[in-house]
Amino acid sequence: MSTTQDPAVSVCFVVTIDGIELGSFNSCEGLGCEVVLETREEGGNNGHVWQLPTRLKYPNVKLSRPLTKETQKVAQWFASMTTGFARKTAHIEARTGDDVMVARWGLLEVVPVRWTGPTFNPESPKVAIETIEIAHHGYMMEPGA
């Protein structure tokens, strides 16, 4: 009988900012990049419009999880922005339920953008979820990833 590994069944995302682990998150969205195109029309050329690549654009990354004791680490990171601003390097690791790393992304010059806390409503009892949003200036090569 063969054993098949399916790492996409249960994945968590472990976030580290300059060596400080912020903990595991259940969802991660926004990993990607886009080439910004500039269009130019050439006189007498009616067959096409020139599509010229100009720069890469990186969307903000949003990470969500239920509230845990690790929420305090996120609060400390956001609070540190009031005493001075320094862009940091972040690492996001996708791990299986068995804590095996599936993929790893390094994000350059990370800045915290937004923290959204849970909504408490006694009429609709749900798990208390927090979301952080971070901006970055691109990806770095990860050896062995």
Side-chain angles (χ1 to χ4, degrees):
M1 183 161 126
S2 68
T3 59
T4 305
Q5 292 184 356
D6 190 359
V9 172
S10 176
V11 177
C12 69
F13 301 91
V14 177
V15 178
T16 308
I17 309 284
D18 276 354
I20 299 168
E21 190 171 307
L22 296 182
S24 299
F25 291 81
N26 296 71
S27 71
C28 176
E29 55 184 88
L31 288 173
C33 66
E34 174 185 346
V35 176
V36 178
L37 297 175
E38 188 175 302
T39 58
R40 293 283 187 223
E41 297 179 15
E42 181 180 358
N45 183 358
N46 297 328
H48 68 275
V49 176
W50 290 101
Q51 304 276 341
L52 306 173
T54 58
R55 68 185 62 83
L56 292 176
K57 185 167 76 170
Y58 303 97
N60 291 350
V61 176
K62 292 182 184 179
L63 299 139
S64 298
R65 68 175 171 200
L67 245 57
T68 65
K69 290 182 179 183
E70 294 172 327
T71 297
Q72 185 176 1
K73 294 178 184 178
V74 173
Q76 289 172 345
W77 181 42
F78 272 77
S80 73
M81 297 298 289
T82 61
T83 59
F85 174 73
R87 291 184 179 266
K88 303 192 182 271
T89 301
H91 292 92
I92 299 174
E93 292 182 359
R95 295 185 186 172
T96 64
D98 298 336
D99 205 33
V100 176
M101 186 176 67
V102 178
R104 180 177 164 119
W105 299 270
L107 282 63
L108 298 171
E109 300 181 4
V110 171
V111 177
V113 174
R114 180 177 295 115
W115 175 81
T116 306
T119 301
F120 297 110
N121 184 350
E123 295 175 5
S124 171
K126 295 181 181 177
V127 175
I129 301 290
E130 73 171 328
T131 302
I132 63 170
E133 184 175 343
I134 56 178
H136 63 99
H137 281 171
Y139 298 98
M140 57 189 274
M141 297 302 296
E142 291 293 322

